[in-house]
Amino acid sequence: MRRRSLLIAVPAGMVTLAACGDDSGSSNAGDTASPSAPATSAPPPPKIVDGPLPAITAGTQFGEKPTVAKGSGEPSKQLAVKTVVAGSGRTVAENDFVMANYLGQIWSSAKVFDNSYDRKTPLVIQLAPGSIIDGWRYALTGKKTGSRVLFSVPPTWGYGEQGNEQAGIKGSDTLVFVVDLQETFNARSSAKGKEVPQDDAALPEVGTNTDGKAPSIEVPDAAAPKKLVAKYVIEGDGAEVGAQDSVLVQYKGVVWDGGKEFDSTYGRKQLTSFSLQQVVKGWSQGLTGKKVGSRVLIVIPPDLGYGENPPPGSGIEKDSTLVFSVDILAKM
């Protein structure tokens, strides 16, 4: 499996969905040199200045892999930021998850230490303290999707005095990034697609609202199915999710018997990302093959859920059938 960029953040939440007794889940950390945050105390916010910044000499259009000149002279000690292509999409806010293609190189040598264009897979990462280097948070917050942003990051808001040996970045290196902002996601994000008829009275009915509020889940007064159910409520038009993928989601979970809610990203007001290799089998099997942008009803029988070992304090009884509404916002 091709690993993701080192910009990857450690996923939050999903405590109740972690696969019980399974230590084989793959890590979200990549094996390249992206701007994941170093473990240091946060410096004060930088000043945003116009330059200096090196020129983009080739691949100048949004979405094209750029070639960036070597930095000339001394770089700014602050954060130099320039919007090279102005988008007209949604405004990125701090703590959003962004989907972006990017290239990073060292100011003094023009050595490229990481880029997502060659992987042909955009990065999805949260602009939150501890998830990514501070330079990214400050440079991209307030920009609109569809924008290409060129910026330089001095060590203070990059990897600090320790640098990043894996990437060949010294503690004195200023970094230069080109970032193409494709999409942004937050706690109000929802599925986008066409509604699919819910005409099986023996299955729960899920609300189709896409206003960022939790959808309703109406469980029928009937026996729970013995096999896994995974059906579109809203069918998106994005790429299909693979069994090895990680995903960014909104979800709500209730118990079949009584319909009591036991977990929800909507209640926490925080999206969740996770690998399909690190969750209960019902989630992994139910989401594999489904399209990004979709809302999926998943009914998980006990043998594909928690069986006799539900998480302590979850409110889930032994041998419970679980019902989920899951909005697949992005593949990671």
Side-chain angles (χ1 to χ4, degrees):
M1 180 179 77
R2 183 184 295 275
R3 287 185 179 269
R4 297 183 297 140
S5 148
L6 52 151
L7 279 173
I8 303 322
V10 176
M14 295 307 296
V15 174
T16 62
L17 291 177
C20 295
D22 182 5
D23 295 325
S24 61
S26 60
S27 169
N28 272 347
D31 57 0
T32 58
S34 67
S36 40
T40 58
S41 58
K47 293 180 181 178
I48 305 298
V49 298
D50 293 334
L53 284 166
I56 300 174
T57 58
T60 58
Q61 300 302 308
F62 182 91
E64 294 180 340
K65 179 184 176 181
T67 300
V68 183
K70 178 182 174 181
S72 177
E74 289 296 315
S76 173
K77 299 298 184 184
Q78 299 296 323
L79 200 67
V81 182
K82 180 180 181 181
T83 301
V84 225
V85 176
S88 58
R90 291 177 55 198
T91 301
V92 174
E94 187 166 1
N95 294 316
D96 280 5
F97 283 82
V98 294
M99 176 185 290
N101 273 313
Y102 70 95
L103 178 142
Q105 67 183 47
I106 296 171
W107 174 282
S108 60
S109 65
K111 175 191 173 185
V112 174
F113 58 83
D114 195 21
N115 88 91
S116 66
Y117 300 92
D118 289 346
R119 291 191 289 272
K120 302 187 184 306
T121 303
L123 173 74
V124 179
I125 195 165
Q126 190 176 20
L127 297 183
S131 296
I132 194 168
I133 59 173
D134 288 330
W136 269 60
R137 292 196 298 117
Y138 292 118
L140 299 180
T141 295
K143 303 301 184 185
K144 292 183 180 293
T145 56
S147 296
R148 166 168 283 193
V149 185
L150 170 67
F151 56 100
S152 66
V153 181
T156 302
W157 296 281
Y159 291 105
E161 295 179 355
Q162 74 271 26
N164 186 316
E165 184 178 357
Q166 175 188 359
I169 298 169
K170 301 190 298 293
S172 58
D173 283 335
T174 289
L175 311 178
V176 178
F177 290 97
V178 177
V179 177
D180 288 339
L181 286 168
Q182 296 183 349
E183 293 190 56
T184 187
F185 306 97
N186 57 35
R188 298 180 299 279
S189 297
S190 292
K192 296 184 294 184
K194 61 180 181 180
E195 293 183 18
V196 176
Q198 301 179 68
D199 48 16
D200 189 339
L203 292 178
E205 183 175 351
V206 177
T208 56
N209 58 295
T210 56
D211 55 2
K213 296 179 181 179
S216 59
I217 302 178
E218 301 295 333
V219 181
D221 185 13
K226 301 297 184 184
K227 294 184 178 181
L228 178 71
V229 174
K231 291 182 175 291
Y232 285 121
V233 175
I234 296 173
E235 184 174 356
D237 60 2
E240 290 187 357
V241 175
Q244 305 293 322
D245 285 335
S246 294
V247 289
L248 178 67
V249 301
Q250 287 264 40
Y251 73 92
K252 174 181 173 179
V254 304
V255 179
W256 182 284
D257 292 334
K260 180 181 178 181
E261 180 180 315
F262 61 86
D263 197 11
S264 169
T265 57
Y266 301 94
R268 293 194 296 271
K269 300 186 184 303
Q270 183 178 15
L271 302 180
T272 289
S273 62
F274 59 89
S275 165
L276 291 190
Q277 299 300 300
Q278 295 175 317
V279 289
V280 294
K281 291 179 180 179
W283 264 68
S284 178
Q285 295 176 20
L287 293 182
T288 297
K290 295 297 188 288
K291 298 174 185 176
V292 172
S294 299
R295 176 169 297 167
V296 183
L297 163 69
I298 307 179
V299 182
I300 303 179
D303 62 317
L304 296 178
Y306 296 112
E308 296 183 355
N309 299 292
S314 65
I316 302 172
E317 301 292 334
K318 292 182 179 180
D319 295 320
S320 291
T321 295
L322 308 178
V323 182
F324 289 94
S325 169
V326 184
D327 284 14
I328 310 171
L329 302 177
K331 287 204 304 181
M332 302 181 72

